[in-house]
Amino acid sequence: MTGIRSLGAVSRRAFATLVAAFAVAVVTLSPGEAFAVDDANRVVSFKVTIGTGGDNLRNASQAVALFRYMREDGQQFVTSVNLNNGAEWPNYSTKTVTHTAPGGIYQGLLLDFSIQFTSGQSNPFETGDNWNMNSVIVTVRLGDGSDVILVSQAGSPLHRFQSDTNTRWATSL
């Protein structure tokens, strides 16, 4: 025996190795859990409920919710909604904002949710605003009519936003 194999045997082994490597790459590099990209899993709207703690969100400050998601082609996008539109949220109050989702967002492709705080001043003599967020609940309405809670967190405070530090709070979805 010379140790020389036929070209057909090497090609089958190479093909099997290539298929196995491809399968491992697909499983390893696929984002998140398996999901269906169909109308039933399409996000129709977002509902964000915020509980303010012992330090209010002052008039002229902004709280913006951001949803980062991936499209079917793998590109990442962000959709946002201003939660308070510069209005004050008093101490220990709860506010709910519902936002219609743009097309092409699916539950299984949501990546993270964050709140971006920008301190406002209603007059030049006011100091920067701080705000205690005690709770956040994020719910999505899907194309099949069901509601799914994505985030439900609370603390005392859950997060303290300050005028020049800690201006962002985020969680993975």
Side-chain angles (χ1 to χ4, degrees), residues 88-152:
E88 178 185 8
W89 285 357
N91 293 347
Y92 302 107
S93 63
T94 301
K95 302 292 181 183
T96 299
V97 175
T98 301
H99 174 65
T100 301
I105 300 178
Y106 296 91
Q107 181 187 353
L109 294 176
L110 289 167
L111 301 173
D112 58 52
F113 169 78
S114 62
I115 295 178
Q116 182 65 49
F117 167 73
T118 304
S119 173
Q121 294 173 271
S122 57
N123 67 63
F125 303 105
E126 213 171 52
T127 60
D129 191 14
N130 299 318
W131 169 44
N132 287 350
M133 179 178 71
N134 278 14
S135 63
V136 60
I137 300 171
V138 178
T139 306
V140 293
R141 164 83 32 106
L142 299 179
D144 66 1
S146 64
D147 291 332
V148 177
I149 296 174
L150 299 178
V151 178
S152 181

Side-chain angles (χ1 to χ4, degrees), residues 1 10 26 30 36 40 48 50-51 64-65 67 69 77 82 84 89 107 113 135 137-138 140 143 149 155 158 165 169:
M1 200 167 199
V10 172
V26 166
S30 294
V48 180
I50 302 288
V64 177
F67 295 87
Y69 63 97
F77 292 89
N82 191 316
N84 72 321
W89 285 357
Q107 181 187 353
F113 169 78
S135 63
I137 300 171
V138 178
V140 293
I149 296 174
L158 174 62
T165 60
W169 177 86

Side-chain angles (χ1 to χ4, degrees), residues 30-49:
S30 294
E33 299 175 21
F35 66 94
V37 179
D38 59 21
D39 194 57
N41 291 306
R42 182 178 50 86
V43 175
V44 175
S45 63
F46 299 101
K47 182 169 73 170
V48 180
T49 302

